[in-house]
Amino acid sequence: MIMKDIVCFMPVLWASVSCARILGIFHIPSFSHQLVYQAIWKQLSLRGHQVMAVTTHPLQDPELTNLTEIDMGEVISTAINQTSIPEIMSKEVPLLSLVHNLFQVQYKIAEAVLSDKRFIDVYNATDAGFDLILAEACTLPTLYAVAAKFKVPFIGISSYGVWAGVHYAMGNPHPTSLYSEMWSTFRYPMAFSERLRNTFYYIWTRYYLNFEALPKCDQIARKYLGNDLPYIQDIEKNMSLLLLTTNPILYEPRPNVPTVISMEQMHIKPVKPLPKDLKQFLDSAKEGAVYFSLGSNVKSINIPEKLRKLLIEAFAELPYKVLWKFEDDNLPGKPKNVFIGKWIPQQDVLAHPNVKVFVTQCGLQSIEEAISRGVPMVGMPFIADQTRNIRRLSEEGAAIGLDHTTVTKEEFKNAIIEVISNPKYKENVKRLADIWVDHPLPSLNRTIWWIEYVIRHKGTKHLRSPTADVSWFEYLLVDVILVLLLAISLVIFVLYKTVKFILTRICGGAKIKQN
């Protein structure tokens, strides 16, 4: 207890804050994304705060004595067991359908979390007394309502960027001529047709949010948390801070409001020794090794059989050894140069000097790990933001992108050989790594500073942008434009009437004189 008090009140370089009670709600069942949040709630716990984390992937670290974790993994998996995330977020799914699908999943997850007895006991406890809520910032704000019930500030956190609706709520500038949805393939500079489609999407999201999604979120929140709550959109607009895992490489620079803070490479850890079998395999790869993984959402075991056979044939013909994250004990037709594993310590594997290329689905966390370890990539995007990610990496000369639906064996082999044999890819990855981490403070320290800033000042009303309170009608100056158009029309009308009157008098007078 004495040691905890020392940690809690120990002065640090940036500021100190008394012990706070923090509730974190991290509800999206994706291991790679939860890794980002784990780093945050672990560090808050180590700094002496009393932390309760509602998560799908608990740390289960007995040394973190002031950390309580509620494991929602099974509850949420059961709630969405008929939903395949790779299917509903596939790059082949139209954007409007993708967003609609995500909303439907979010409704189910929110209901599952709020109806869980363990969590009910938390948000109904009269002595809970939390000082801050950390909530995963996804497509819908339903679970932000917990902060309104406790009447405390809350911070939104995302393990990548956020969709346009969150930018609207924060008052963050989002002109459709410059910025598209993070799941869209449009990038600046956009062609006219892209700007036109992006504008239609903007109009649709405004309609869908205000008339369908937000009313549904509000209904779910009131069902479990009571009717004594502000409207859910008003709750979201009062977000004290928005922490985003963005970076200047994959995301276009934008003029964020003061309460939007970028963080990156939160989950990167020091290199640890590899398991003996992996070490022996990679040490023996004198010609180099290829590491292949499709992450935690898109699993190799679930890819189409045609693609799997193509990969097997291509790997068999390569002069390199291949380490493949494959979620089964048996890979039919496995070549002799391929080593499979259900689970691979990815960051440590990428740090091995013999790993020359990372064949990846291009999820943000995987990219961060590859960049931090200096490994160039061959990207095959499947879902969400992965298409945009590999496009940017290709433009930066750090990767080669392939379409898994059309790629041939020769294209796949040639891409791997090109990335390994051409030193420009390795050099460009190192260049990006230097840019990515060049900050005054390490990302985790900076993130914790901002979280404790919110605790110290009980919110960030003094940093709130006025754009968060302006309606779209006023923000786009629709009323001003209508008044100007009306004024111009009136002037034109008066001029028309005046000229007509003058001409009538002149013409009429001339006619009388002639007669």
Side-chain angles (χ1 to χ4, degrees):
M1 185 65 183
I2 294 175
M3 188 62 193
K4 187 175 77 174
D5 290 339
I6 292 173
V7 172
C8 187
F9 296 102
M10 184 184 297
V12 292
L13 288 175
W14 50 87
S16 62
V17 63
S18 299
C19 288
R21 297 197 66 190
I22 301 172
L23 171 63
I25 307 172
F26 311 103
H27 55 283
I28 298 302
S30 171
F31 177 65
S32 59
H33 293 230
Q34 290 284 330
L35 277 175
V36 176
Y37 311 133
Q38 286 178 352
I40 294 172
W41 81 64
K42 178 179 179 178
Q43 187 64 23
L44 288 170
S45 175
L46 290 172
R47 284 181 58 76
H49 299 293
Q50 296 290 330
V51 181
M52 176 178 288
V54 176
T55 174
T56 58
H57 292 80
L59 285 169
Q60 297 178 333
D61 185 347
E63 295 184 4
L64 300 174
T65 55
N66 54 340
L67 171 64
T68 303
E69 294 172 314
I70 300 178
D71 185 355
M72 289 283 183
E74 185 176 345
V75 170
I76 292 175
S77 294
T78 301
I80 61 171
N81 66 344
Q82 300 299 320
T83 304
S84 169
I85 299 299
E87 287 182 11
I88 68 171
M89 295 192 70
S90 169
K91 64 188 183 72
E92 282 78 34
V93 175
L95 183 58
L96 299 190
S97 298
L98 185 151
V99 174
H100 174 78
N101 293 341
L102 282 177
F103 285 177
Q104 303 307 310
V105 173
Q106 287 278 295
Y107 298 144
K108 293 178 182 178
I109 292 177
E111 293 243 26
V113 172
L114 291 171
S115 63
D116 185 85
K117 185 180 183 306
R118 296 165 297 171
F119 195 41
I120 291 174
D121 291 341
V122 171
Y123 63 69
N124 280 338
T126 56
D127 60 343
F130 291 105
D131 301 296
L132 178 72
I133 306 296
L134 301 177
E136 189 168 4
C138 297
T139 49
L140 295 176
T142 315
L143 294 173
Y144 300 162
V146 176
K149 183 174 178 64
F150 285 118
K151 295 181 171 60
V152 296
F154 78 98
I155 295 173
I157 303 180
S158 175
S159 54
Y160 50 158
V162 285
W163 87 293
V166 182
H167 287 296
Y168 304 154
M170 295 295 293
N172 220 29
H174 195 79
T176 57
S177 58
L178 299 176
Y179 305 112
S180 62
E181 187 58 81
M182 66 176 182
W183 303 301
S184 167
T185 57
F186 301 158
R187 281 188 54 84
Y188 179 82
M190 286 185 267
F192 172 78
S193 61
E194 293 175 331
R195 284 185 282 119
L196 182 64
R197 290 163 64 186
N198 205 34
T199 302
F200 279 124
Y201 173 76
Y202 171 89
I203 296 170
W204 177 82
T205 56
R206 288 293 193 173
Y207 164 80
Y208 199 81
L209 266 176
N210 290 312
F211 296 101
E212 296 191 39
L214 290 174
K216 177 68 173 178
C217 291
D218 191 71
Q219 177 188 359
I220 294 172
R222 293 177 186 277
K223 175 180 176 182
Y224 296 100
L225 302 174
N227 288 316
D228 189 21
L229 293 172
Y231 185 58
I232 194 69
Q233 188 176 39
D234 295 327
I235 295 174
E236 184 179 26
K237 286 183 176 182
N238 280 313
M239 188 186 299
S240 292
L241 210 64
L242 177 61
L243 298 170
L244 303 180
T245 310
T246 55
N247 58 77
I249 306 303
L250 301 181
Y251 292 82
E252 297 97 335
R254 62 187 307 152
N256 291 323
V257 297
T259 49
V260 176
I261 307 298
S262 177
M263 56 184 187
E264 62 288 311
Q265 297 190 333
M266 294 289 294
H267 69 296
I268 303 300
K269 300 176 181 177
V271 179
K272 299 189 298 293
L274 288 170
K276 185 177 180 180
D277 55 347
L278 284 180
K279 186 177 186 307
Q280 289 177 344
F281 179 77
L282 293 176
D283 285 348
S284 65
K286 302 304 181 184
E287 299 297 322
V290 177
Y291 173 52
F292 176 51
S293 172
L294 297 179
S296 57
N297 290 315
V298 181
K299 295 179 170 58
S300 294
I301 195 172
N302 294 328
I303 61 176
E305 185 177 352
K306 177 182 178 183
L307 177 60
R308 191 187 311 161
K309 287 183 177 179
L310 181 150
L311 297 174
I312 290 172
E313 292 175 5
F315 285 146
E317 296 177 11
L318 287 173
Y320 318 110
K321 292 198 171 182
V322 178
L323 176 59
W324 186 341
K325 179 181 174 289
F326 190 78
E327 300 79 15
D328 199 345
D329 293 322
N330 182 44
L331 173 62
K334 181 177 77 68
K336 293 181 180 179
N337 64 329
V338 173
F339 182 100
I340 63 171
K342 290 182 179 179
W343 178 86
I344 303 291
Q346 184 161 291
Q347 296 187 38
D348 304 322
V349 163
L350 290 171
H352 195 285
N354 287 346
V355 174
K356 304 300 182 184
V357 64
F358 179 20
V359 182
T360 171
Q361 88 288 6
C362 288
L364 179 56
Q365 278 70 47
S366 290
I367 291 173
E368 286 185 330
E369 292 170 8
I371 296 289
S372 70
R373 303 312 195 213
V375 180
M377 289 155 277
V378 169
M380 289 198 302
F382 281 76
I383 64 172
D385 59 336
Q386 295 169 3
T387 300
R388 286 171 62 95
N389 293 344
I390 185 57
R391 181 175 295 180
R392 281 294 298 129
L393 290 173
S394 299
E395 290 170 358
E396 293 288 345
I400 291 178
L402 300 172
D403 187 337
H404 71 87
T405 61
T406 59
V407 66
T408 66
K409 181 180 72 172
E410 291 304 316
E411 287 174 338
F412 185 69
K413 282 171 49 184
N414 291 339
I416 291 175
I417 293 171
E418 165 66 12
V419 171
I420 291 177
S421 59
N422 191 333
K424 80 167 188 177
Y425 295 97
K426 180 88 170 176
E427 292 167 0
N428 284 323
V429 165
K430 290 182 177 179
R431 173 177 58 83
L432 297 184
D434 291 338
I435 296 173
W436 218 312
V437 300
D438 195 357
H439 293 282
L441 279 176
S443 185
L444 183 57
N445 290 7
R446 189 170 70 251
T447 300
I448 298 301
W449 185 92
W450 274 107
I451 291 173
E452 293 184 339
Y453 180 92
V454 174
I455 296 171
R456 286 194 297 274
H457 301 288
K458 303 185 187 313
T460 57
K461 288 184 179 180
H462 54 290
L463 295 178
R464 181 183 174 87
S465 170
T467 51
D469 301 314
V470 175
S471 69
W472 67 270
F473 197 85
E474 296 169 295
Y475 180 76
L476 296 176
L477 295 176
V478 174
D479 51 349
V480 174
I481 292 171
L482 288 175
V483 169
L484 290 175
L485 288 175
L486 180 62
I488 293 170
S489 300
L490 184 60
V491 169
I492 293 174
F493 178 75
V494 170
L495 285 174
Y496 167 74
K497 285 293 187 180
T498 302
V499 171
K500 183 179 180 182
F501 175 77
I502 294 172
L503 290 176
T504 301
R505 297 290 293 179
I506 293 173
C507 294
K511 188 175 180 180
I512 292 172
K513 187 175 181 181
Q514 184 179 2
N515 290 336

